[in-house]
């Protein structure tokens, strides 16, 4: 659907009669309302069934679970905030209402990161975690799909399901001049398809600069004078940018698994590579104690044992048992997916044991989970949206020396991901190198004068967002740092009583400890 067609079809959300089964609510506008945006900040929301908002197998199960009592709505926002009278787009919202209406504080807005992940799905997943604590009693838990993502319309789309399947099996691990040229052509083709299938106007306005403006519209339309926010991973970047743009509009903010907003994309990728290597080493040490460890009993030899297993896939993908083939890229994607949490280490070892027998089913299943592929072969737009947002949030890197140095540094930081290819004489860059629109943000530490005390949660062995990033963000925002001594990505509302107690007390009563607290499993 085009942006223009969408704008014409959504005007009724701002007013009019509700459809069957839809309840209209208009608690806003609340708090500060920027001039020219009154109709958005005070818009009427139509809440109803969430079933039509599902964009994945997981969504369909979560959104139709009647025990969680969820409802959904669409929020209308300008496509371009510089032209508020122009085209509009819509964002999907999912809500679990507070169960103690008499003590209701407001809405707790949630985003799980990515960028590209669904906040609606995240809120539905967290519904049971808040059901029996004060968060569920005193807050409406509200998840949102940022512009271009999930149920929000129009969605960022670059590849068809068939094209993405083909791209995954056509794995380019070749640093020869011809391999680099082929990779460059693929990246250019991808960027062109994003522009054609999404529109350059949408791509130009899909970044975090605009997401935080949407978040402020959401705050007001939901009836909250101040924002209470919970952001995980990239969601912490949304939080820090919001804090900088709207510091006086913040009530409370937990930022868990922090992205360092001052890091450029190269330094961030190298730091992340080092984080995943550290998690891999810990997985290898855990695995070595098992009789069935696919990597053997000596953790010091685990990197080579892993590479011996996966490198042959570059030339010889293996069958998965369902008519598909596991590529080298799929195997490493599956490994990275498993390293996000110790809960998946058992599955990773099983997949590697299978690979020894030339079976790729378990690893392919984990790679599908990461890439957003359902059992029906359809993909969510998580990977396309990830690329689109990263490309407008960061300056493009075209300097050949810097690109080659980034390759060297990343390989050195994560030797388990070394594909065995020599460093090329020329690097193709990534999709952002050929992106059709300019970036709208620059890496920098946020300056948020007047911001209330925030709570940053950082895990010591977080593979995806290294611990130091949380230290840096807490310092920049003048907030508290909650340290979790564990190996996983993010921690709040994931079953640790120490973490949850600190977080819930803060969000509900604005109570913070006298010093930066530490928790362990």
């Amino acid at each position: 659907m085009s942006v223009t067609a969408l704008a014409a079809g959504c005007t009724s959300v701002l007013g009019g009669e509700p459809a069957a089964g839809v309840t209209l609510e208009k608690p806003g506008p609340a708090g500060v309302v920027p001039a020219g945006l009154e109709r958005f900040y005070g818009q009427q929301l139509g809440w109803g069934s969430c079933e039509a908002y599902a964009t994945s197998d997981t969504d369909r199960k979560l959104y139709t679970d009647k025990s969680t009592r969820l409802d959904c709505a669409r929020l209308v926002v300008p496509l371009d905030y510089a032209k508020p009278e122009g085209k509009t787009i819509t964002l999907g919202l999912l809500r679990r209402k507070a169960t103690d209406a008499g003590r209701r504080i407001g809405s707790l807005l949630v985003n799980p990161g990515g960028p590209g992940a669904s906040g609606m799905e995240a809120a539905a997943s967290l519904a049971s975690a808040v059901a029996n604590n004060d968060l569920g009693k005193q807050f409406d838990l509200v998840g949102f799909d940022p512009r271009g993502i999930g149920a929000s319309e129009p969605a960022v789309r670059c590849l068809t399901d068939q094209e993405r399947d083909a791209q995954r099996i056509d794995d380019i691990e070749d640093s020869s001049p011809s391999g680099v040229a082929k990779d460059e052509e693929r990246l250019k083709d991808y960027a062109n398809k994003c522009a054609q299938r999404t529109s350059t106007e949408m791509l130009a306005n899909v970044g975090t600069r605009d997401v935080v403006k949407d978040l402020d519209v959401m705050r007001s339309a939901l009836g909250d004078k101040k924002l209470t926010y919970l952001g995980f991973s990239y969601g912490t970047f949304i939080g820090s940018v919001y804090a900088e743009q709207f510091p006086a509009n913040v009530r409370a903010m937990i930022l868990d698994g922090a992205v360092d907003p001052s890091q450029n994309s190269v330094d961030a990728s190298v730091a992340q590579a080092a984080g995943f290597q550290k998690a891999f080493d810990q997985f290898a040490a855990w695995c070595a104690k098992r009789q069935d460890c696919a990597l053997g009993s000596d953790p010091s030899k685990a990197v080579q044992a892993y590479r011996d297993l996966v490198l042959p896939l570059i030339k010889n993908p293996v069958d998965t048992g369902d008519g598909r083939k596991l590529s080298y890229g799929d195997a490493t994607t599956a490994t990275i997916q498993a390293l996000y949490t110790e809960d998946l280490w058992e599955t990773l070892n099983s997949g590697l044991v299978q690979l020894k027998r030339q079976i790729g089913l378990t690893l392919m299943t984990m790679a599908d989970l990461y890439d957003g592929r359902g059992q029906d072969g359809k993909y969510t737009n998580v990977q396309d949206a990830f690329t689109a947002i990263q490309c407008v949030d960061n300056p493009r890197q075209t300097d050949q020396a810097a690109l080659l140095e980034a390759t060297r540094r990343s390989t050195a930081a994560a030797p388990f991901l070394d594909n065995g290819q020599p460093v090329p004489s020329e690097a193709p860059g990534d999709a952002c190198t050929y992106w059709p629109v300019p970036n709208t943000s620059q890496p920098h530490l946020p300056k948020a004068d007047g911001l209330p005390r925030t709570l940053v949660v950082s895990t010591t062995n977080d593979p995806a967002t290294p611990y130091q990033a949380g230290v840096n963000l807490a310092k920049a925002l003048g907030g508290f740092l909650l340290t979790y001594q564990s190996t996983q990505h993010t921690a709040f509302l994931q079953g640790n009583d120490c973490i949850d107690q600190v977080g819930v007390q803060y969000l509900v009563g604005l109570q913070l400890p006298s010093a930066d607290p530490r928790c362990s499993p």
Side-chain angles (χ1 to χ4, degrees):
M1 183 182 290
S2 71
V3 176
T4 304
L6 181 66
C10 290
T11 54
S12 62
V13 179
L14 296 175
E17 295 299 319
V22 173
T23 300
L24 296 180
E25 296 180 13
K26 191 178 180 299
V32 177
V33 178
L37 297 175
E38 292 85 358
R39 72 187 182 109
F40 299 104
Y41 273 69
Q43 69 185 272
Q44 186 170 248
L45 297 176
W47 295 95
S49 169
C50 293
E51 189 171 355
Y53 291 77
T55 58
S56 70
D57 296 339
T58 302
D59 292 352
R60 281 181 275 279
K61 292 176 184 176
L62 288 170
Y63 297 179
T64 55
D65 182 355
K66 298 192 183 304
S67 67
T68 49
R69 299 178 298 104
L70 306 174
D71 55 1
C72 291
R74 291 199 176 277
L75 181 84
V76 180
V77 294
L79 170 61
D80 183 348
Y81 276 90
K83 304 172 184 175
E85 297 305 317
K87 298 172 183 176
T88 59
I89 60 176
T90 67
L91 313 181
L93 307 182
L94 178 144
R95 177 177 67 177
R96 178 199 180 273
K97 296 182 74 170
T99 55
D100 189 342
R103 294 194 300 149
R104 181 183 176 277
I105 296 170
S107 297
L108 172 60
L109 284 148
V110 181
N111 184 273
S118 168
M120 297 176 69
E121 181 182 308
S125 299
L126 290 172
S128 58
V130 304
N132 297 314
N133 64 32
D134 283 340
L135 289 184
K137 295 174 183 176
Q138 296 184 250
F139 282 99
D140 292 347
L141 181 69
V142 179
F144 64 100
D145 284 356
R147 51 177 55 212
I149 292 171
S152 294
E153 295 178 342
V156 172
R157 282 290 179 188
C158 303
L159 298 182
T160 66
D161 298 330
Q162 294 76 20
E163 287 170 341
R164 189 163 291 282
D165 272 345
Q167 184 188 80
R168 287 172 63 179
I169 194 60
D170 185 23
D171 196 21
I172 301 175
E173 300 292 338
D174 180 0
S175 63
S176 69
S178 62
V180 170
K182 182 180 178 182
D183 202 12
E184 183 177 290
E185 286 306 309
R186 183 176 71 173
L187 293 168
K188 288 179 179 177
D189 180 64
Y190 179 82
N192 287 335
K193 284 175 177 173
C194 289
Q196 293 164 7
R197 295 171 181 176
T198 302
S199 88
T200 53
E201 189 174 13
M202 181 68 184
L203 292 178
N205 292 284
V206 80
T208 308
R209 175 200 68 178
D210 300 289
V211 171
V212 301
K213 292 180 171 65
D214 297 339
L215 187 56
D216 201 52
V217 173
M218 212 175 298
R219 167 198 61 75
S220 174
L222 290 169
D224 292 345
K225 292 181 179 179
K226 303 279 187 179
L227 175 73
T228 305
Y229 177 75
L230 169 59
F232 297 98
S233 196
Y234 159 78
T236 68
F237 185 56
I238 294 175
S240 65
V241 176
Y242 183 93
E244 185 170 44
Q245 286 197 26
F246 303 100
N249 293 358
V250 175
R251 174 187 172 273
M253 192 175 276
I254 290 183
L255 306 177
D256 184 359
V259 172
D260 188 336
S262 67
Q263 260 184 341
N264 63 44
S265 57
V266 171
D267 289 342
S269 65
V270 172
Q272 189 174 79
F276 277 110
Q277 181 63 50
K278 191 172 184 179
F280 178 87
D281 292 341
Q282 294 193 331
F283 161 73
W286 167 87
C287 187
K289 299 173 184 176
R290 302 167 57 96
Q291 289 187 344
D292 67 341
C293 179
L295 304 180
S297 59
D298 185 350
S300 68
K301 298 179 179 178
V303 167
Q304 188 58 51
Y306 175 79
R307 294 180 70 230
D308 288 344
L309 271 176
V310 300
L311 287 180
L313 295 170
I314 295 175
K315 293 184 177 179
N316 299 296
V318 303
D319 290 331
T320 60
D322 63 355
R324 301 165 69 203
K325 286 185 178 292
L326 179 81
S327 69
Y328 170 79
D330 288 325
T332 54
T333 295
T335 303
I336 288 169
Q337 170 67 36
L339 294 178
Y340 272 88
T341 171
E342 294 180 25
D343 292 343
L344 289 177
W345 287 4
E346 182 94 36
T347 307
L348 175 58
N349 184 55
S350 296
L352 295 174
V353 169
Q354 270 191 4
L355 184 57
K356 281 187 167 184
R357 304 199 307 268
Q358 296 295 291
I359 301 171
L361 181 59
T362 296
L363 292 179
M364 183 65 95
T365 300
M366 284 198 292
D368 285 345
L369 177 64
Y370 187 93
D371 285 331
R373 188 186 195 271
Q375 293 181 348
D376 58 1
K378 295 184 181 298
Y379 286 85
T380 68
N381 76 328
V382 61
Q383 294 301 330
D384 289 340
F386 174 89
T387 302
I389 295 165
Q390 290 284 66
C391 290
V392 292
D393 273 359
N394 296 285
R396 71 184 64 193
Q397 181 59 265
T398 58
D399 180 77
Q400 278 293 310
L403 288 169
L404 293 172
E405 181 61 20
T407 300
R408 294 188 191 95
R409 289 172 61 198
S410 293
T411 300
F416 85 102
L417 294 175
D418 184 352
N419 64 6
Q421 295 290 313
V423 175
S425 58
E426 187 174 340
D430 57 17
C432 298
T433 307
Y434 313 100
W435 209 241
V437 296
N439 58 297
T440 57
S441 301
Q442 294 280 350
H444 67 279
L445 282 175
K447 295 181 180 179
D449 295 339
L451 181 71
R453 299 302 294 271
T454 58
L455 180 64
V456 176
V457 183
S458 199
T459 302
T460 51
N461 293 323
D462 187 323
T465 51
Y467 176 73
Q468 189 61 39
V471 176
N472 295 346
L473 183 60
K475 182 178 179 180
L477 295 178
F480 274 76
L481 175 69
L482 171 53
T483 295
Y484 187 44
Q485 296 169 301
S486 185
T487 302
Q488 64 186 63
H489 181 49
T490 73
F492 184 53
L493 296 180
Q494 294 172 39
N496 183 275
D497 290 341
C498 175
I499 295 281
D500 291 352
Q501 182 178 11
V502 173
V504 172
Q505 287 180 346
Y506 165 64
L507 290 175
V508 173
L510 302 179
Q511 301 174 31
L512 282 164
S514 56
D516 289 346
R518 300 181 74 88
C519 295
S520 57

